[in-house]
Amino acid sequence: MLLTSDAGGVRTLTLNRPHRRNAIDGELWDALRTALVEADCDRSVRALVLTGAGGAFCSGADIPQRISTAHPLYRMRQLTDVTLLLHELPVPTVAKVTGVAVGAGWNLALGCDLVVATPEARFSQIFARRGLSLDCGGSWLLPKLVGLQQAKRLALLAETIDADEAKALGLVTWMVDAQKVDAFVDDLTARLVAGPPVALTQTKSLLNEGADRTLRDALANEARAQAVNFAGMDVQEAYAAFAARREPLFTGRWAVPPNRTKEDDT
């Protein structure tokens, strides 16, 4: 159902229901939720990749063959929990999209910080064709990414667009040939892992929150984030590496003064 692998600080979550083009059923929603909670709690994870098996990313939420007796509000909680966990995950996230990304599947990809797609990828906000409204954060994500008018076009008409158009609209960060996409994502995540973890976490949070805040709020949040950064070892390491003309080695460690005095606490 869900495959998990770790390499060099990168955790990869692979949706593994290729017979359904990786449509997400209740069991897979639960597995995703558990996996994201575990990634959030594991300090060895410095970046996360979300992808799909068998030449597809995700064809959306799996429509059950039999009507569920659970109340729709409870069923929707599975989706909203996963959406929030993915969006708020402290580490950088990358969606690697091959094949279709439809409905909730596309919105999970858009919920990642960066999206890498192959030319064969196809995207659709298919909800209207199913008599449904947007979910998995689509109503919040799309207007921020493409503007209100294009968001309405994608949602109301439920058109399928190709990778070229998705990139032109700003819904794909990079488009990479299928033969090269794995190596590209490996290089990209290696660069993210090499970055300062605390600073990247705070930058991600600042960018996510900035669109909904006033400039005064954003400046206050930036000042708070920089104060935390200056209290860590990574800033010192960056300056030392610059002076020595070498690449920095960021650890995210806290810089605690070795000799504290009472004056330090006042």
Side-chain angles (χ1 to χ4, degrees), residues 1-4 12-32 35 50-54 56-58 62 78:
M1 296 289 287
L2 182 68
L3 305 179
T4 303
T12 300
L13 303 180
T14 303
L15 307 175
N16 187 35
R17 300 184 75 223
H19 61 291
R20 297 287 291 169
R21 293 195 296 177
N22 302 318
I24 309 178
D25 62 3
E27 184 179 347
L28 188 49
W29 283 118
D30 288 341
L32 267 174
L50 181 63
T51 192
F57 181 77
C58 176
D62 202 359
Q78 289 183 307

Side-chain angles (χ1 to χ4, degrees), residues 73-95:
L73 283 178
Y74 298 132
R75 300 203 304 270
M76 286 304 299
R77 181 179 291 179
Q78 289 183 307
L79 281 69
T80 56
D81 284 352
V82 169
T83 301
L84 279 173
L85 285 165
L86 180 63
H87 181 75
E88 296 177 352
L89 198 68
V91 301
T93 55
V94 178

Side-chain angles (χ1 to χ4, degrees), residues 125-133 155-158:
Q125 294 289 330
I126 201 170
F127 301 96
R129 295 190 214 167
R130 304 289 184 258
L132 298 169
S133 306
L156 298 179
L157 297 177

Side-chain angles (χ1 to χ4, degrees), residues 91-139:
V91 301
T93 55
V94 178
K96 180 168 65 175
V97 181
T98 59
V100 297
V102 172
W106 188 10
N107 289 335
L108 286 178
L110 295 179
C112 293
D113 302 314
L114 303 165
V115 179
V116 183
T118 63
E120 297 79 17
R122 296 293 182 268
F123 305 88
S124 176
Q125 294 289 330
I126 201 170
F127 301 96
R129 295 190 214 167
R130 304 289 184 258
L132 298 169
S133 306
L134 302 181
D135 61 26
C136 276
S139 64

